[in-house]
Structures are given as structure tokens and as C-alpha cells.
């Protein structure tokens, strides 16, 4: 099998991750023509096109395989750095800034429990890149080889990956007290939900619909929705009186206890099981990520179903 130039592999990864040749050149601190030359050389070696020159740029199927290979090489180098630090702390550097260890984590986990879990690894010098998406879509980043692990609601292991149940995130429907008193004094129910504006994360967010369907025992619902693409922003919008939002309980427990927000459906919780998926490789870095996320989830989430 051919040995691929590590610089060319990192160049391919930079083009895909940065979304273009110019930004890849800036990140790698080389000229744009050098980026093009490295990519052409790699494509010549592989024998096929690796990137579709469209807007936005996107990898071909072969490009996705090469991207995954580039990230595996990063993981090997990160493992080496970790092992060297353990043996002789003064002998190991912190790695190149462009060699990122990427994981995809849903926004609600980032806003509540996941970042503290990764804090120790970041302070140790692991070049972590956290990519955010809806919990129903983070696994697509792993499937495409763009990350080495993901937190997702998908409960089935992907090919070539291992999976571990982390726990269940409970969601509640909250509103500003004044808003609730005016618009739903008796709480959220099957007679008033269609009149209430719901603050969703984005158009892919189906949590609001799922919560209302279960709480009101309806097969399907149509909601008036506003969009704020941030978990913290959704809570902020509710505080400003925009409407109701279904948000993670760990993120609003204190606000509910202080009376700054009210639970408009106190008899109902929507539980979303979360899982950690990662490449099925022997790796100290992957093991450290898994241990960190497992420990934090055990403290923040409900135990996974037996």
C-alpha cells in the first residue's frame, strides 16, 4: 500500500474543515498555490478526485476515506504525545495547532455537562475541536469520517465504531412567569399549545413537537416556532418573554428553583437517551475521552435504561 504524505493529508483535511483553499492556506501558513499543489499530488497518488470544487466544497467518497485516514494519523500522533508526556513530561511538545482532535456533541450537552468533562484534557494540551449539531444528526459527522467520536441519540453502533450508553437527558417546557400567567395559566395542554410560540434551536429541532405530542397525547402537532441556534440563547429568549421552550432540565434547575422560570407542564418530562460513539481503535486518547464523558454523564444524566 502507498504511504501518503502527512502534509498532503493535513492539507486535504484543512480544505474540508475550513471550507476552502484560501482559509486552508491561512491555517497551514502556506500559499494557496501550495495548497492546490499538495491536493493535486495527493489526488494523483490516489488516482481519483478527492474534493468536488463546488460551493460549498465537499469531499468525494474517496475524499471522505482519505479524511478519515488523516484524522486517524492525528489520533496516532496525539496518542504518542500523551504517552511521551506520561513517560517524560518535559520531553513532549503540545502538537501542531492544525492537528485537531474533533468530536461532535449536541448543543444541549455542550451547554450543560459535556464541556466540564473535557476540561482536564484541554488543560493537558489535547487539541480538541468540538463540533455542534442536533443530537439526532451528530452521528453523521462520525459516519462521514469528519470526527472521531460523537454524542448522539442514535442507539445503534455505526460500522467500525463502538458505542456506549451515557444516560438520559430530561427536558422540560419552561416559560417566563409573566408569560405563563397570561398565556397558559393552567399550564400547557391540548387546548392552548397551538396558540403558544415555541422557541426551537433550528428547523431540524424536533424536541418541541415531540414534547407536546407526548404531553398532550396527540399523534401529531403543528407549532408556531421561533428559532434561536443556541441552547443558552433559547433560555435567554424565554427569559425575555418570547414564549415557551423545551430545554434540558440540568440547565434550568436553578432558575426554576428561584422562580425566574416556571415549568408549564410539571407532570411531564421528555427523556432523550444519549450515547457515545467512537472509532473502534485501541487509543489512549479515545479511552481518555470516553472515560471523561462517561464520568460527567453519570453525574448529570439519569442512568441509561437497563
Amino acid at each position: 500500500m502507498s504511504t501518503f504524505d502527512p502534509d498532503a493529508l493535513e492539507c486535504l483535511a484543512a480544505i474540508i474543515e475550513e471550507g476552502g483553499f484560501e482559509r486552508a492556506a491561512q491555517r497551514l501558513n502556506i500559499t494557496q498555490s501550495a495548497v492546490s499543489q499538495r491536493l493535486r499530488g495527493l489526488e494523483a497518488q490516489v488516482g481519483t478526485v478527492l474534493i468536488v470544487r463546488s460551493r460549498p466544497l465537499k469531499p468525494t467518497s474517496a475524499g471522505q476515506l482519505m479524511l478519515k485516514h488523516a484524522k486517524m494519523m492525528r489520533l496516532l500522533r496525539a496518542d504518542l504525545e500523551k504517552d511521551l508526556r506520561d513517560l517524560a513530561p518535559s520531553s513532549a511538545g503540545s502538537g501542531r495547532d492544525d492537528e485537531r482532535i474533533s468530536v461532535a456533541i449536541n448543543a444541549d450537552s455542550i451547554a450543560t455537562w459535556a464541556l466540564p468533562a473535557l476540561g482536564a484534557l484541554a488543560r493537558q494540551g489535547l487539541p480538541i475541536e468540538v463540533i455542534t449539531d442536533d443530537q439526532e444528526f451528530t452521528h453523521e459527522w462520525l459516519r462521514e469520517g469528519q470526527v472521531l467520536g460523537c454524542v448522539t441519540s442514535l442507539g445503534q453502533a455505526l460500522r467500525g465504531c463502538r458505542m456506549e450508553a451515557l444516560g438520559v437527558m430530561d427536558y422540560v417546557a419552561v416559560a417566563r412567569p409573566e408569560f405563563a400567567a397570561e398565556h397558559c395559566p393552567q399550564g400547557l395542554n391540548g387546548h392552548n399549545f397551538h396558540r403558544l410560540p415555541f422557541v426551537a434551536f433550528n428547523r431540524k429541532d424536533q424536541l418541541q413537537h415531540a414534547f407536546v405530542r407526548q404531553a398532550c397525547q396527540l399523534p401529531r402537532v403543528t407549532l408556531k416556532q421561533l428559532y434561536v441556534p443556541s441552547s443558552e440563547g433559547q433560555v435567554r429568549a424565554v427569559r425575555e418573554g418570547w414564549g415557551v421552550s423545551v430545554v434540558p432540565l440540568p440547565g434550568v434547575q436553578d432558575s426554576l428553583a428561584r422562580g425566574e422560570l416556571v415549568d408549564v407542564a410539571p407532570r411531564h418530562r421528555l427523556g432523550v437517551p444519549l450515547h457515545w460513539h467512537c472509532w473502534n481503535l485501541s487509543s489512549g486518547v479515545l479511552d481518555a475521552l470516553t472515560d471523561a464523558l462517561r464520568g460527567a454523564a453519570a453525574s448529570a444524566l439519569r442512568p441509561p435504561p437497563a
Side-chain angles (χ1 to χ4, degrees), residues 68 72 75 101-104 138-139 141-143 145 147-152 154 156-166 275-291 293-294:
K68 184 174 182 179
M72 285 183 175
L75 184 59
I101 301 301
S102 303
V103 295
T138 47
H139 66 274
W141 292 83
L142 181 60
R143 194 194 306 274
V147 299
L148 57 81
C150 68
V151 175
T152 175
L154 180 70
Q156 181 179 357
L158 300 174
R159 187 177 66 176
C161 297
R162 62 179 188 258
M163 181 191 77
E164 180 172 333
L166 294 173
H275 304 82
W276 166 244
H277 297 247
C278 66
W279 293 343
N280 190 20
L281 300 173
S282 177
S283 162
V285 169
L286 279 180
D287 290 344
L289 284 168
T290 300
D291 290 344
L293 291 168
R294 181 195 299 123

Side-chain angles (χ1 to χ4, degrees), residues 7-304:
D7 289 335
L9 287 171
E10 275 303 320
C11 186
L12 171 69
I15 295 169
I16 296 171
E17 291 169 345
E18 299 296 336
F21 288 72
E22 182 177 355
R23 292 181 62 180
Q26 293 172 354
R27 174 169 136 187
L28 298 174
N29 198 28
I30 59 178
T31 65
Q32 192 168 333
S33 62
V35 169
S36 299
Q37 185 176 1
R38 288 183 186 180
L39 177 63
R40 285 196 300 270
L42 187 60
E43 288 179 327
Q45 187 177 5
V46 175
T48 188
V49 174
L50 299 176
I51 290 180
V52 178
R53 276 73 163 176
S54 58
R55 295 198 177 190
L57 292 174
K58 58 183 181 181
T60 63
S61 296
Q64 289 181 356
L65 289 175
M66 296 302 293
L67 175 63
K68 184 174 182 179
H69 179 63
K71 289 182 179 290
M72 285 183 175
M73 296 300 294
R74 286 183 189 173
L75 184 59
L76 288 172
R77 288 189 289 270
D79 278 329
L80 177 61
E81 289 280 347
K82 181 178 183 298
D83 291 342
L84 287 174
R85 275 197 302 272
D86 292 341
L87 289 172
S90 62
S91 68
S94 58
R96 289 162 39 182
D97 289 340
D98 57 302
E99 294 186 352
R100 303 166 183 173
I101 301 301
S102 303
V103 295
I105 302 178
N106 61 306
D108 290 338
S109 291
I110 292 174
T112 51
W113 63 271
L115 287 189
L118 303 176
L121 296 175
R123 289 189 292 272
Q124 291 168 14
L126 187 68
I128 299 174
E129 177 185 19
V130 178
I131 293 171
T132 185
D133 206 334
D134 186 270
Q135 64 269 1
E136 296 181 5
F137 296 92
T138 47
H139 66 274
E140 293 296 340
W141 292 83
L142 181 60
R143 194 194 306 274
E144 293 173 1
Q146 299 203 50
V147 299
L148 57 81
C150 68
V151 175
T152 175
S153 58
L154 180 70
Q156 181 179 357
L158 300 174
R159 187 177 66 176
C161 297
R162 62 179 188 258
M163 181 191 77
E164 180 172 333
L166 294 173
V168 178
M169 177 88 85
D170 282 325
Y171 285 78
V172 294
V174 298
R176 182 175 175 173
E178 296 84 355
F179 180 93
E182 179 179 353
H183 297 281
C184 51
Q186 305 304 316
L188 176 70
N189 57 54
H191 302 291
N192 61 19
F193 75 86
H194 62 281
R195 297 194 298 267
L196 303 175
F198 283 79
V199 183
F201 185 82
N202 58 26
R203 294 181 183 273
K204 296 190 293 185
D205 181 5
Q206 293 299 308
L207 280 170
Q208 319 296 317
H209 291 81
F211 187 98
V212 174
R213 284 198 306 270
Q214 290 188 19
C216 300
Q217 297 183 333
L218 296 170
R220 58 182 168 280
V221 296
T222 299
L223 302 179
K224 293 166 42 179
Q225 292 198 117
L226 310 172
Y227 301 101
V228 178
S230 158
S231 297
E232 298 91 340
Q234 285 178 259
V235 176
R236 179 65 181 271
V238 169
R239 290 179 183 275
E240 296 293 328
W242 285 29
V244 176
S245 191
V246 176
V247 295
L249 177 59
V252 294
Q253 279 179 317
D254 292 342
S255 296
L256 290 169
R258 291 192 296 264
E260 298 167 355
L261 298 173
V262 295
D263 186 344
V264 297
R267 296 184 183 87
H268 187 69
R269 298 286 185 272
L270 177 65
V272 176
L274 295 176
H275 304 82
W276 166 244
H277 297 247
C278 66
W279 293 343
N280 190 20
L281 300 173
S282 177
S283 162
V285 169
L286 279 180
D287 290 344
L289 284 168
T290 300
D291 290 344
L293 291 168
R294 181 195 299 123
S299 299
L301 306 178
R302 271 199 293 120

